[in-house]
Amino acid sequence: MQLSLSEDQSQILDFIDTLAKPYATVPMHDHSLALTSAELDEALVEGGFLDVMAEEELGPATAALVVEKLARLPFAVEAAASALVRPLIDPDLPRPLCLVEEGQLRKPVRFLKDGATVVVVGPSGVRSFTASAEMIRAPQEDTLYAYPVAFLTRLPDALTSHDADVAEITRAWRVAVAAEAAGLLAAALQSVVTYVSERKQFGRPLATFQAIRHRLAEDQVVTNGVYWLAIRAAASGDPADAAMAVLHAQEAAKRVTYDYHQFLGGMGMTLEHPLHLWTYRLKLLTAELGGRGAQALAAAEALWGE
């Protein structure tokens, strides 16, 4: 596995940094549960950043890097499914792209709205349809999500079938979740480090206390592991790598988000600090694709067979 970025990959990430600079911070006095930007989404599409997987010299590893970079923003961007899954189904599918497990209609669907493309993955194959307003239910107002979400109330009578392998689409979906989680974990960690470096208690910054430093160091190691496993899974195309990557990501999210909110004290229980814009997205990702138990089983089956 190549651990250093190629010149092309570095340039693409630099371009994204420049493009996304206006969206790198939370707008003043905005305490929203979720932030989105149509302008940012349009700029990413126009720049071709969600289509890098189609370039042979870039491929899925670069697409995963793009997803990870965009996940660090406080703004939620529908990038993971479009960059890593859509090319394997139909590159021309309209966005936003919403991935749904067959038989799991009760779960919240990220980026679901009128006109979105919904891809249903399961035993019946890979099928899609265009969502309409009458089949969408908004979440309750007091529900805490940091993504724009909605619920499907039903499926249409007719769905479009795609000539795509369910196992391969599921593998790519796992890579997408792992890459997005890696970016969210990194951004949440940086947010907490900034806070504890500035917040003083007993006349000194919180970050100078050894107990906090040790736990932050452990969280950094865990976060780094999520990043490298996600990139490895994208590069290798191996189902076992994908299952292990998302398993570690979901385990890490459960572990470190407790630390992060605890380090912020009372601020960690409010919307005044933007930490929730990353940790509540992570919370939703921990339930994706059946959660940790399903990923552990998938990894075992990929490594040792059923």
Side-chain angles (χ1 to χ4, degrees):
M1 177 180 171
Q2 177 59 258
L3 297 181
S4 59
L5 300 181
S6 68
E7 182 177 352
D8 287 340
Q9 289 172 333
S10 296
Q11 288 182 349
I12 288 172
L13 296 183
D14 287 343
F15 287 144
I16 290 178
D17 278 335
T18 302
L19 183 151
K21 190 174 182 179
Y23 309 95
T25 57
V26 178
M28 188 173 294
H29 306 306
D30 191 327
H31 300 151
S32 303
L33 286 172
L35 295 176
T36 59
S37 171
E39 292 79 12
L40 173 59
D41 193 84
E42 183 179 349
L44 291 169
V45 171
E46 289 181 356
F49 295 107
L50 303 183
D51 299 318
V52 296
M53 183 170 158
E55 301 295 330
E56 186 176 352
E57 65 274 17
L58 299 176
T62 305
L65 289 169
V66 168
V67 170
E68 192 272 346
K69 174 68 74 172
L70 292 172
R72 293 177 181 235
L73 298 174
F75 287 78
V77 181
E78 192 284 282
S82 287
L84 285 160
V85 181
R86 186 177 63 156
L88 302 178
I89 302 173
D90 180 354
D92 296 323
L93 282 176
R95 298 181 58 253
L97 196 71
C98 307
L99 301 176
V100 177
E101 299 171 76
E102 186 175 345
Q104 299 294 326
L105 288 184
R106 293 185 178 181
K107 291 185 177 181
V109 181
R110 295 182 290 142
F111 303 104
L112 178 61
K113 64 179 184 178
D114 186 16
T117 297
V118 180
V119 177
V120 183
V121 182
S124 300
V126 179
R127 301 172 296 159
S128 70
F129 65 92
T130 301
S132 57
E134 62 268 16
M135 61 178 66
I136 296 173
R137 175 176 62 83
Q140 297 178 355
E141 291 186 5
D142 59 348
T143 304
L144 297 178
Y145 295 114
Y147 285 108
V149 304
F151 292 83
L152 279 171
T153 58
R154 63 178 180 85
L155 296 180
D157 295 332
L159 287 79
T160 301
S161 296
H162 297 275
D163 185 18
D165 181 63
V166 172
E168 178 63 7
I169 299 304
T170 303
R171 180 202 62 78
W173 188 353
R174 289 190 172 109
V175 173
V177 171
E180 187 165 2
L184 294 172
L185 285 164
L189 176 60
Q190 184 56 55
S191 176
V192 171
V193 168
T194 299
Y195 180 83
V196 298
S197 298
E198 297 173 350
R199 176 75 164 88
K200 291 184 177 180
Q201 191 63 266
F202 304 109
R204 54 193 282 200
L206 290 174
T208 63
F209 289 94
Q210 191 177 58
I212 291 179
R213 292 167 68 92
H214 284 178
R215 284 171 66 181
L216 282 173
E218 291 176 358
D219 293 340
Q220 178 73 75
V221 171
V222 171
T223 297
N224 289 349
V226 174
Y227 172 87
W228 289 114
L229 284 174
I231 303 306
R232 170 178 172 149
S236 71
D238 185 86
D241 286 346
M244 288 299 296
V246 73
L247 170 61
H248 185 56
Q250 291 176 332
E251 289 278 8
K254 284 285 188 180
R255 172 182 170 182
V256 305
T257 53
Y258 175 84
D259 280 352
Y260 294 165
H261 282 277
Q262 187 178 50
F263 291 154
L264 264 63
M267 288 292 288
M269 303 302 293
T270 73
L271 299 182
E272 294 181 38
H273 192 280
L275 179 61
H276 67 280
L277 295 174
W278 297 289
T279 57
Y280 274 84
R281 279 191 269 169
L282 283 166
K283 183 179 180 180
L284 200 53
L285 290 186
T286 59
E288 197 114 332
L289 288 162
R292 294 172 291 170
Q295 309 321 315
L297 288 173
E301 290 175 359
L303 288 169
W304 300 295
E306 299 182 7

